[in-house]
């Protein structure tokens, strides 16, 4: 006969199958009497599992509760869930990337090595969609775990111009923009908040020591850092349009919108191409002025002259 704890786990596993169980069938599976089954069902209910009684067959089924209780997964189910979470973390479904990483971090922490090996083999033959910066799953999980556990994270980092450095940080959170993953962290040596592209860093393991989380001075600093940080060029524009109108079209993770007057707005953003910056703002369809950087002002003047020359002659 199974010990009580092992029997409860087996009972829970049986109830998680999509079927209704009679008390007699459960008793036969567990090798106990009907009275023991009833007591074990009560214990599961006390632990928060919604075990419903099925009228007419004197049986049981697992119902839906107000909160999600722990689930028991077999090997194939665990591998399927992990692969699904990794796919979701790439940003194919907007809005679930960060929660997918948190769930994946919890799951992989308890996976046995044999299952991690299976997942890595499947990941090795997967095809990564083009157009997005590739982040290795191990890097994503290591950074997410350090942020969750409030442990200092040291990593080798390569900037946009190829400069290599070693950074010591207190990781605050991960941010996904749809194309790239960023770490928002307190840079210990520079004593300031910084954003780092995950595809450019390599964590140094082990992490630690633990730190007390700092309060981000500005609620919008995370979005602002990602909007301009990590890019070769950081730009500022004055757009002649209301801020609320621009906010509907500009993502907070790609641009920061600051109202100046009822009809003018400051937009801060970043890109690795000067032409991309100009087109990004020009396609909004509003009159705008380039404030910085100086090379962007020069490039805008050059493009304006080129476009003007391309117009048909009115003579």
């Amino acid at each position: 006969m199974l010990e009580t704890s092992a029997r409860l786990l087996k009972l829970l596993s049986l109830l998680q199958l999509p079927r209704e169980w009679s008390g007699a069938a459960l008793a036969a599976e567990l090798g106990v009497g009907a009275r023991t089954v009833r007591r074990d069902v009560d214990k599961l209910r006390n632990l928060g599992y919604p075990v419903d009684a099925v009228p007419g067959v004197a049986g049981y089924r697992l119902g839906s509760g107000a909160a999600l209780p722990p689930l028991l997964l077999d090997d194939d189910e665990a591998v399927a869930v992990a692969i699904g979470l990794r796919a979701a973390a790439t940003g194919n479904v907007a809005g679930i990337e960060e929660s997918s990483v948190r769930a994946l971090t919890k799951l992989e922490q308890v996976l046995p090595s044999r299952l991690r090996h299976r997942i890595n083999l499947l990941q090795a033959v997967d095809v990564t969609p083009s157009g997005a910066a590739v982040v290795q799953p191990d890097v994503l999980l290591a950074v997410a775990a350090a942020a969750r556990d409030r442990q200092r994270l040291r990593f080798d980092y390569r900037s946009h111009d190829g400069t290599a450095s070693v950074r010591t940080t207190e990781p605050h959170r991960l941010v996904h923009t749809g194309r790239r993953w960023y770490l928002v962290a307190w840079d210990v040596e520079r004593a300031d908040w910084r954003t780092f592209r995950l595809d450019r860093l390599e964590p140094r393991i082990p992490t630690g020591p633990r730190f007390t989380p700092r309060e981000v001075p500005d609620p919008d600093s995370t979005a602002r850092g990602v909007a301009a940080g990590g890019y070769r060029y950081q730009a500022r524009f004055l757009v002649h349009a209301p801020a609320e109108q621009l906010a509907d079209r500009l993502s907070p993770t790609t641009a920061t919108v600051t109202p100046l007057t009822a009809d003018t707005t400051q937009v801060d953003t970043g890109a690795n191409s000067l032409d991309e910056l100009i087109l990004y703002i020009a396609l909004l369809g509003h009159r705008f002025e380039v404030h910085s950087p100086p090379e962007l002002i020069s490039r805008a003047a050059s493009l304006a002259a080129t476009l003007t020359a391309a117009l048909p002659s009115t003579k």
Side-chain angles (χ1 to χ4, degrees):
M1 181 183 298
L2 295 173
E3 296 293 334
T4 302
S5 57
R7 192 175 65 245
L8 284 175
L9 288 174
K10 185 173 182 180
L11 173 59
L12 178 58
S13 180
L14 293 171
L15 289 172
Q16 286 179 345
L17 295 175
R19 57 166 288 185
E20 296 173 352
W21 288 89
S22 68
L26 289 174
E29 289 282 345
L30 299 173
V32 297
R35 181 178 297 180
T36 301
V37 170
R38 288 194 295 270
R39 287 200 299 263
D40 286 350
V41 166
D42 287 337
K43 290 176 182 177
L44 288 179
R45 288 168 174 163
N46 290 334
L47 291 172
Y49 292 94
V51 182
D52 297 335
V54 180
V57 297
Y60 306 94
R61 66 181 169 215
L62 196 63
S64 300
L68 178 66
L71 300 176
L72 290 177
L73 302 175
D74 62 28
D75 285 4
D76 290 339
E77 292 168 342
V79 170
V81 170
I83 292 174
L85 289 171
R86 284 192 176 190
T90 63
N92 295 327
V93 181
I96 67 169
E97 302 92 350
E98 292 180 57
S99 55
S100 298
V101 171
R102 292 196 301 270
L104 183 57
T105 303
K106 294 177 181 178
L107 178 59
E108 294 213 352
Q109 186 177 19
V110 298
L111 283 178
S113 59
R114 69 178 187 279
L115 296 188
R116 290 198 193 97
H117 181 65
R118 287 176 58 184
I119 294 168
N120 290 335
L121 284 177
L122 290 171
Q123 191 75 17
V125 299
D126 191 16
V127 178
T128 301
S130 60
V134 177
V135 177
Q136 296 302 318
D138 290 345
V139 172
L140 190 61
L141 292 174
V143 175
R148 178 199 62 195
D149 298 336
R150 298 291 186 253
Q151 291 186 321
R152 280 192 177 185
L153 181 68
R154 283 174 57 81
F155 51 83
D156 297 287
Y157 192 70
R158 175 179 48 85
S159 64
H160 61 79
D161 61 0
T163 302
S165 61
V166 178
R167 316 299 280 268
T168 301
T169 65
E170 295 176 357
H172 171 61
R173 65 169 298 186
L174 291 171
V175 178
H176 189 267
T177 65
R179 291 175 57 87
R180 295 184 177 90
W181 278 101
Y182 291 88
L183 167 66
V184 178
W186 176 264
D187 191 311
V188 175
E189 278 85 9
R190 291 159 180 77
D192 199 3
W193 291 97
R194 292 288 190 272
T195 57
F196 303 95
R197 277 177 50 174
L198 258 65
D199 58 301
R200 293 177 177 169
L201 67 81
E202 182 63 36
R204 293 193 173 193
I205 307 298
T207 57
R210 293 180 64 85
F211 64 89
T212 301
R214 300 171 186 269
E215 182 178 355
V216 181
D218 182 343
D220 294 328
S221 62
T222 295
R224 186 161 53 245
V226 171
Y231 293 103
R232 182 177 181 183
Y233 302 107
Q234 290 79 47
R236 175 166 292 177
F237 298 88
L238 174 66
V239 182
H240 293 267
E244 59 271 16
Q245 188 174 351
L246 297 180
D248 290 339
R249 300 185 59 185
L250 298 175
S251 168
T253 57
T254 58
T256 302
V257 174
T258 305
L260 299 179
T261 68
D263 298 312
T264 58
T265 304
Q266 176 181 299
V267 176
D268 294 281
T269 187
N272 291 323
S273 164
L274 294 174
D275 291 351
E276 182 179 344
L277 281 168
I278 295 171
L279 288 174
Y280 181 63
I281 300 300
L283 289 176
L284 293 173
H286 300 287
R287 187 165 60 89
F288 68 93
E289 301 164 18
V290 183
H291 280 194
S292 65
E295 56 265 41
L296 182 61
I297 298 174
S298 299
R299 182 57 181 161
S302 175
L303 283 176
T306 301
L307 292 172
T308 300
L311 296 175
S313 175
T314 57
K315 295 181 181 180

